[in-house]
Amino acid sequence: MKRLVLISVVTLAVVAAATVVGLWQVSRARCFALGGDIVCRFETQAPLVALTFDDGPTPLGVDAVLPVLERHGATATFFLVGAAVERRPDLARRIRAAGHELGNHSYTHQRMMLRPADWYDSEIARTEAALARAGGGGSGLFRPPYGKKLWGLPQATRRAGLTMVMMDIEEPTTTEPAQYAREVVAAARPGSILLLHAMFRGNQTARDALPLILDGLKAKGLRPVSVGELMASAEGARGTVSAPASGPGSGRSPP
């Protein structure tokens, strides 16, 4: 009897561990969400890619990125954190005034998993309200912090009428700007969604690589635009989900 109990306990432990591992893998999968739609790239022949930035806004990131985008004639989508927008709405207004798109990146930038429904709703709604007050609401786009999106969050984004946007090209792990840029450009193809982080002091590599990326995309015949622009241009692309391309940062969860 004791042996049977021990076997049962061990079996339950193994099943529980496998379930936890499985849920963790699902939560970090770039192009899959339980109970909801997700976009990680668009199927299009147009020579366009979506350039996206996460986090902030911060003076450091905005001051560094906007002039580079302007010089290259590039537009982008900035997924901003609601609390940061409330602290510095002027920065969100600057991004919008420069012709870029603002997206929802939650209010507190916590991992959005295993939470009650009203918490998800609040995180999304408070950020939408902050973006609207800053003059940048209405894009209808949401990106989950750290890429975490288990059951609950997809339903909340659907209730809010938002499209969950991930990416098929994440950031390389290198700290060498030229190598960083080469990996991003090499992986880019029509319809790709690129992720960069440039808002904080630790993101210097991305800031240094940005002009190299833009030059490389141009040489490759690709034009960086916002997610909204890419979505509008892609034939029948709204809501399209595609398996991620093999590219830099595969398997990593975006901050």
Side-chain angles (χ1 to χ4, degrees):
M1 179 63 70
K2 290 183 178 180
R3 183 178 179 182
L4 289 175
V5 171
L6 178 61
I7 292 173
S8 298
V9 170
V10 170
T11 300
L12 288 173
V14 170
V15 170
T19 300
V20 169
V21 171
L23 288 174
W24 176 257
Q25 293 298 327
V26 168
S27 77
R28 67 199 297 268
R30 284 186 294 187
C31 294
F32 178 77
L34 286 169
D37 294 330
I38 188 168
V39 172
C40 65
R41 61 165 281 105
F42 294 102
E43 295 301 334
T44 180
Q45 297 302 312
L48 304 175
V49 296
L51 180 61
T52 70
F53 296 89
D54 280 7
D55 301 340
T58 67
L60 173 63
V62 172
D63 289 344
V65 169
L66 290 189
V68 176
L69 296 179
E70 183 179 11
R71 286 197 302 271
H72 287 79
T75 54
T77 299
F78 290 75
F79 287 96
L80 302 181
V81 177
V85 173
E86 287 191 343
R87 286 192 298 269
R88 293 298 305 267
D90 57 307
L91 297 177
R93 292 190 189 102
R94 280 181 57 194
I95 295 171
R96 192 70 188 94
H100 305 293
E101 183 175 57
L102 305 186
N104 188 322
H105 197 41
S106 83
Y107 188 80
T108 59
H109 202 271
Q110 299 182 63
R111 284 175 171 79
M112 301 184 77
M113 51 190 294
L114 306 178
R115 303 276 192 165
D118 59 352
W119 186 85
Y120 295 124
D121 292 340
S122 175
E123 285 280 312
I124 292 170
R126 293 175 73 185
T127 303
E128 286 294 289
L131 292 173
R133 287 192 294 271
S139 74
L141 305 176
F142 173 84
R143 176 171 285 162
Y146 308 100
K148 302 304 180 188
K149 52 196 178 309
L150 276 178
W151 185 267
L153 179 58
Q155 291 80 2
T157 58
R158 188 168 60 247
R159 285 194 297 272
L162 303 182
T163 298
M164 191 182 299
V165 179
M166 290 290 285
M167 73 298 296
D168 66 325
I169 299 177
E170 296 180 37
E171 296 176 288
T173 56
T174 179
T175 58
E176 216 300 301
Q179 179 62 28
Y180 183 114
R182 281 194 296 271
E183 291 188 36
V184 170
V185 172
R189 56 193 174 114
S192 286
I193 301 176
L194 287 61
L195 167 66
L196 281 76
H197 289 85
M199 289 293 167
F200 298 108
R201 190 175 301 277
N203 302 135
Q204 188 61 48
T205 301
R207 289 191 292 272
D208 290 342
L210 179 58
L212 304 177
I213 291 171
L214 295 174
D215 286 339
L217 291 173
K218 182 178 180 180
K220 200 171 178 179
L222 296 172
R223 181 165 67 91
V225 298
S226 68
V227 173
E229 291 175 87
L230 181 58
M231 182 183 294
S233 70
E235 296 179 356
R238 187 163 182 85
T240 297
V241 184
S242 175
S246 58
S250 58
R252 297 175 59 218
S253 293

